[in-house]
Amino acid sequence: MVRWTLARGLLAALLVLSAVPLSLGLGASFGELSAHAQGVVQQIRVEGNKRVEPETIRAYLTFAPGDTYDPAQIDESLKVLFATGLFQDVRIRRDGPTIVIVIVENPIVGRVAFEGNREIEDDTLSSEVQLKSRAVYTRARVQADVQRILNLYRRQGLYGAQVDPKIINLDSNRIDVVFEIAEGPTTKVRAINFIGNAAFSDSQLRYIISTTQTNILSFLKGTNIYDQDRLSLDRELLRQFYMKNGYADVRIISATADLDPAGRGFFITFTIEEGERYRFGIIEVESALPSLKTDALGPYILVKSRKWFNSDKVEKTVEALTLGVSLQGYAFGQVKPRFDRDLSNRTINIVFVIDEGPRVYIERINIAGNIRTEDRVIRRQFRLAEGDAFNRLLVEVARKRLRALGFFKTVEVEAETGSSPDRVVLMVKVVEQPSGELSFGAGYSTSEGVIGDVAITERNLMGKGQYVRLGFSGSLDRAQVDFSFTEPYFLDRNLAAGFDLFHKEVNLTEESSFSQRDTGGNLRLGFPIADNTQMGLRYRIAQQDLFDVANNASLAVKEAEGVSIVSSVGYTVAYDSRNIPSSPTSGYFASFSQDFAGLGGDVNYVRSVADARAYYPITNKITLVGRAQGGNIQGWGGEDVRLTDLFFKGGETIRGFKRAGYGPRDACESPITGGRVPICAKDSLGGQLFWATTAEVRFPFPYIPDSIGMQGAIFVDAGSLWDPSQLALDAVAQEGSFILDSAGVRMSTGFSIIWQSPLGPLRADFAEALLKEDFDKTEFFRFGASTNF
């Protein structure tokens, strides 16, 4: 008891002696322990940073001093810091009430280089990758650039390319990035096949798509390179082609590209489900708009009952009806076609339903992606402008027009919300593609021998949408150079205006004992006048020179020797409804043209030429082709037609006859005695009237796959050329001879082999003349081959 009292007294004394310091020390220690126990962050310290300021790093954290320590917030802050791409490594540790952020900064890129690339230039690769000089390096970014480079090479057909990024360390936390590229062999499209196509052959469908098979001349263009975007475009092209030819239920089920085991090329296969072929049935217009005069909309309906279904004409009708409705005062009128299939009769009835669409206006039309093409080239494809009523169907029509230009790889048009609910902004996004082309042509014909041509074409000159072409062509008997320029929207209207310059020399010594040289130019203007119908106006001025006349030439040829100026105006009206212009199986083509010479110059004449062709599918594989053509030329103002302006016809119209093989010809003998006129050649002298007809049946060869693209044909040709000019008659009479002339029918029959070869179309004709005159010149075999690539 005494001891405890003594101890307590000593302790009280000690407390008195050191009351203040002891109280303060114990108080501080208890406070820190209390805060530590509660897990409050008192301080954030950053270590390892060299470029990035500590405050910048603290700004990314999801916690701050004074917050309760939370491991979840620490983990979230780690993710945020790594996501900035500024740091190679980040560690966060706890040092009592202090949080320490330890970072390792990503290096700065000093230079980006490429090695081993031969097919793709450095500039192209630099524009593709995201890593740039003075950018922050990250592993994710460099791996993404590796994939971008590989994708670029794959678009060039180099699917075996490999890319290995190398890092060269420099001082001050800087690096150089070098992409080492092994390009490997080029991987091209080796074959294009179709499955399920019964209505059209493989060779015909290959003309529709943009991808081409590889041949020995494919190095001159890039369409034989496999491209996934181009394959998607080809699917759409095939679908549209079938829809335009009556196959409303067509489905392009798949488009696959299989790389052969050796990696040498792709085999592309399109699987098609054609479905039934339909005709248009009953066509009606139904309106929900008050006082709309539907009877007045008849001229805007372009589809006709009993004609083959054509989705393109349906779209054009919708566009035309929309315009017709707006002209009656309904700016927001919209037209929607309602289809009703009659499976038993294989017809599609259409009701064009007209009602009032939402009252939404176009606030702006924004265009992106057109680096080269001017905005106005894109805007003029829209039949809409800022402030007009928004019509989704017309926007889709504009998108298709833009894609049809051939300037863009992809076209997207999106309607975005404008500044108010009744306003939309049209966002047009395009990806440009090359619009220039260097093409070469080569071939052989029995009339001219080896032929060839070279042409440089630009379809989008300086981004203005203008067309320009410079071409050189020739053979053993012909040399020609021409230059063409076309402005497709002259005066911002649907008028194609342009001019041509040309120089041409033709050796006709074998046919008519002279050569001819033409030098001049054309001014032209073209425009549509109806559905599928175009009209062209032209003015032509040329200097014609008949020279190099043989000593034994007909006197008619000798008297025509010399130079003359031809100044003429003319027009052409053409109608074309062929399904495939390059290899049609159905449809019609007709044209009529006239030229009036005498608007100045040395000669006066009126020339008229008509041409009509029809294609009728007897079956899906057999096509009947018919053609009729004719022409007439007459002088006026007391002048006769010169020799060089007359018609010369041969195997190009009636097979089985040589070039200029039928028609008026110098007899080179006396009309009285029948004796031979000395120093005289039986020259072809041309005629003022001609006609020619053809009937041909084209069919596939049995046991030969459609993929080969080979056809046979049997044909009958008939026609005539007669009526030489009075100048020729008078000249021949002076030499004591006369002209052999007959309007009698010439006729031939035979068969042909047609091959859509990888190098272009080839055709061999074997013909026997059944009806001819004794003075005509015939041939049994005629061969022609030419290709553009």
Side-chain angles (χ1 to χ4, degrees):
M1 185 71 177
V2 175
R3 292 177 180 174
W4 171 245
T5 303
L6 181 60
R8 189 167 56 178
L10 292 172
L11 179 60
L14 291 172
L15 289 173
V16 170
L17 292 173
S18 56
V20 176
L22 183 61
S23 300
L24 293 175
L26 288 173
S29 299
F30 288 141
E32 288 179 358
L33 290 172
S34 176
H36 187 71
Q38 294 174 6
V40 176
V41 176
Q42 293 188 354
Q43 184 181 0
I44 298 175
R45 187 170 72 245
V46 178
E47 297 178 356
N49 60 307
K50 297 179 180 179
R51 298 189 315 275
V52 184
E53 294 293 332
E55 289 304 320
T56 303
I57 297 173
R58 293 188 185 103
Y60 286 116
L61 302 177
T62 60
F63 59 90
D67 293 347
T68 302
Y69 179 84
D70 186 352
Q73 293 296 325
I74 299 295
D75 185 58
E76 182 66 23
S77 296
L78 276 172
K79 294 178 181 179
V80 171
L81 288 171
F82 272 114
T84 64
L86 298 172
F87 310 111
Q88 182 177 338
D89 188 26
V90 179
R91 287 176 294 137
I92 300 179
R93 61 182 174 84
R94 185 179 180 186
D95 185 6
T98 300
I99 301 298
V100 182
I101 314 294
V102 182
I103 65 169
V104 178
E105 294 177 338
N106 275 322
I108 295 296
V109 177
R111 184 174 63 96
V112 178
F114 306 92
E115 294 181 357
N117 54 307
R118 297 182 304 275
E119 294 293 330
I120 302 178
E121 299 290 337
D122 284 4
D123 291 343
T124 304
L125 292 171
S126 296
S127 63
E128 188 73 16
V129 299
Q130 299 298 310
L131 277 179
K132 307 292 182 184
S133 178
R134 296 187 296 276
V136 177
Y137 169 86
T138 66
R139 291 190 184 94
R141 189 172 294 173
V142 77
Q143 290 303 319
D145 282 344
V146 167
Q147 191 58 47
R148 288 188 181 92
I149 294 172
L150 289 174
N151 291 339
L152 190 61
Y153 270 96
R154 286 169 181 170
R155 290 199 294 270
Q156 298 291 328
L158 294 164
Y159 275 76
Q162 297 180 349
V163 180
D164 186 16
K166 298 292 185 182
I167 306 300
I168 301 174
N169 292 307
L170 305 174
D171 57 1
S172 302
N173 199 26
R174 295 182 303 112
I175 62 170
D176 286 345
V177 180
V178 178
F179 292 97
E180 294 183 352
I181 302 170
E183 294 181 332
T186 303
T187 310
K188 308 288 187 179
V189 176
R190 296 186 62 189
I192 301 175
N193 300 309
F194 300 87
I195 297 175
N197 54 311
F200 303 98
S201 66
D202 285 15
S203 60
Q204 289 173 321
L205 295 180
R206 289 191 194 105
Y207 274 105
I208 304 303
I209 62 178
S210 59
T211 306
T212 58
Q213 296 182 144
T214 301
N215 56 61
I216 62 174
L217 301 173
S218 293
F219 67 93
L220 295 168
K221 63 179 181 179
T223 53
N224 66 316
I225 297 171
Y226 171 68
D227 187 331
Q228 182 61 43
D229 292 336
R230 186 182 292 122
L231 198 64
S232 299
L233 172 63
D234 290 340
R235 292 186 64 162
E236 180 62 17
L237 290 175
L238 285 171
R239 190 189 70 84
Q240 289 183 8
F241 171 72
Y242 271 96
M243 292 282 287
K244 288 169 61 176
N245 286 277
Y247 295 89
D249 296 330
V250 65
R251 293 174 57 220
I252 311 302
I253 297 174
S254 65
T256 60
D258 299 315
L259 188 63
D260 71 348
R264 293 175 299 178
F266 281 95
F267 291 83
I268 294 178
T269 303
F270 294 93
T271 303
I272 302 171
E273 186 178 287
E274 293 180 333
E276 298 291 343
R277 193 181 189 192
Y278 294 89
R279 294 182 183 271
F280 285 118
I282 301 172
I283 309 298
E284 296 178 325
V285 176
E286 181 180 294
S287 174
L289 301 178
S291 68
L292 179 71
K293 299 177 181 178
T294 56
D295 294 342
L297 299 176
Y300 299 99
I301 300 176
L302 306 178
V303 296
K304 306 296 181 184
S305 296
R306 304 309 304 164
K307 296 290 185 180
W308 289 115
F309 177 82
N310 186 327
S311 62
D312 188 49
K313 287 194 174 183
V314 173
E315 290 181 359
K316 289 181 178 179
T317 299
V318 169
E319 184 179 3
L321 284 173
T322 302
L323 175 62
V325 170
S326 65
L327 292 176
Q328 292 193 35
Y330 294 93
F332 294 94
Q334 63 179 14
V335 182
K336 294 182 180 180
R338 188 174 67 215
F339 301 98
D340 180 21
R341 286 172 172 77
D342 185 342
L343 299 178
S344 60
N345 295 318
R346 295 182 184 176
T347 59
I348 297 180
N349 303 319
I350 303 179
V351 178
F352 292 98
V353 180
I354 303 173
D355 59 11
E356 188 168 14
R359 290 183 171 271
V360 178
Y361 295 90
I362 297 174
E363 183 174 353
R364 294 192 315 277
I365 299 178
N366 295 335
I367 302 172
N370 55 320
I371 300 171
R372 181 165 174 262
T373 306
E374 294 183 358
D375 280 9
R376 67 183 183 91
V377 175
I378 297 174
R379 290 180 184 276
R380 68 193 183 193
Q381 300 304 319
F382 285 81
R383 299 298 182 261
L384 298 166
E386 283 91 345
D388 287 352
F390 173 69
N391 189 303
R392 193 173 299 277
L393 291 174
L394 295 185
V395 171
E396 177 62 17
V397 169
R399 187 189 69 84
K400 291 183 178 180
R401 283 201 187 100
L402 284 171
R403 192 176 61 188
L405 290 176
F407 304 163
F408 309 109
K409 188 175 183 180
T410 60
V411 178
E412 296 179 2
V413 183
E414 299 175 354
E416 300 177 352
T417 303
S419 58
S420 61
D422 63 342
R423 297 287 188 272
V424 297
V425 175
L426 293 183
M427 191 66 197
V428 184
K429 300 176 182 178
V430 299
V431 176
E432 293 182 320
Q433 64 181 3
S435 56
E437 181 180 354
L438 173 63
S439 63
F440 296 81
Y444 178 84
S445 74
T446 51
S447 59
E448 293 190 63
V450 177
I451 58 178
D453 66 79
V454 181
I456 302 172
T457 304
E458 173 57 62
R459 301 189 306 274
N460 188 15
L461 181 64
M462 300 177 66
K464 298 179 182 295
Q466 297 165 336
Y467 175 92
V468 64
R469 180 183 184 275
L470 176 63
F472 304 88
S473 62
S475 67
L476 297 177
D477 294 329
R478 175 177 54 86
Q480 182 174 344
V481 58
D482 57 83
F483 175 82
S484 298
F485 172 84
T486 302
E487 166 55 66
Y489 280 83
F490 184 59
L491 300 177
D492 288 329
R493 297 179 179 272
N494 194 13
L495 301 172
F499 66 87
D500 308 299
L501 302 175
F502 57 86
H503 176 80
K504 179 180 180 181
E505 292 190 15
V506 183
N507 184 351
L508 297 171
T509 302
E510 184 177 345
E511 293 81 15
S512 300
S513 301
F514 69 88
S515 295
Q516 181 175 338
R517 181 186 299 119
D518 292 349
T519 304
N522 298 322
L523 294 175
R524 48 186 165 76
L525 183 69
F527 50 90
I529 57 176
D531 190 35
N532 296 328
T533 305
Q534 297 277 332
M535 185 169 189
L537 307 176
R538 59 185 170 271
Y539 169 74
R540 175 186 175 97
I541 184 167
Q543 176 181 282
Q544 292 183 344
D545 184 8
L546 192 150
F547 68 102
D548 199 15
V549 176
N551 291 330
N552 64 340
S554 168
L555 188 58
V557 175
K558 291 179 179 179
E559 292 203 351
E561 185 176 10
V563 177
S564 61
I565 301 297
V566 179
S567 176
S568 65
V569 293
Y571 69 90
T572 297
V573 179
Y575 171 84
D576 192 354
S577 64
R578 294 173 294 179
N579 60 346
I580 314 174
S582 58
S583 180
T585 58
S586 66
Y588 303 92
F589 173 85
S591 68
F592 179 77
S593 63
Q594 282 191 310
D595 290 281
F596 304 87
L599 193 68
D602 303 326
V603 297
N604 297 342
Y605 64 73
V606 178
R607 179 193 288 122
S608 304
V609 177
D611 186 8
R613 309 171 206 176
Y615 304 85
Y616 179 77
I618 299 174
T619 68
N620 284 341
K621 300 293 182 66
I622 301 176
T623 304
L624 173 64
V625 180
R627 182 178 184 180
Q629 55 183 314
N632 168 262
I633 184 170
Q634 295 291 332
W636 64 274
E639 292 192 19
D640 200 7
V641 182
R642 297 179 70 250
L643 183 71
T644 52
D645 298 319
L646 295 170
F647 297 111
F648 290 80
K649 298 296 177 181
E652 75 279 3
T653 52
I654 306 177
R655 284 160 284 192
F657 290 83
K658 290 185 176 181
R659 185 170 69 165
Y662 67 91
R665 189 177 300 276
D666 192 335
C668 289
E669 62 184 41
S670 170
I672 301 174
T673 65
R676 172 75 181 181
V677 175
I679 316 178
C680 179
K682 293 186 176 181
D683 292 327
S684 175
L685 300 179
Q688 298 182 102
L689 291 162
F690 86 93
W691 64 272
T693 58
T694 292
E696 181 174 284
V697 177
R698 299 174 184 172
F699 53 87
F701 284 113
Y703 309 113
I704 296 180
D706 288 344
S707 59
I708 301 297
M710 187 169 288
Q711 283 184 307
I714 55 174
F715 60 84
V716 176
D717 295 338
S720 187
L721 171 67
W722 72 100
D723 194 14
S725 69
Q726 190 61 46
L727 288 174
L729 289 168
D730 295 342
V732 169
Q734 291 179 29
E735 68 180 359
S737 181
F738 66 99
I739 293 180
L740 299 169
D741 181 33
S742 172
V745 176
R746 277 75 158 182
M747 181 181 293
S748 68
T749 187
F751 68 94
S752 302
I753 299 174
I754 307 168
W755 182 29
Q756 304 295 341
S757 76
L759 297 180
L762 308 177
R763 180 166 186 144
D765 298 316
F766 303 86
E768 182 68 31
L770 303 178
L771 297 176
K772 64 183 183 67
E773 300 295 333
D774 294 337
F775 53 85
D776 292 338
K777 295 185 178 181
T778 61
E779 64 182 9
F780 175 72
F781 175 70
R782 183 180 182 88
F783 176 77
S786 65
T787 181
N788 286 305
F789 37 84

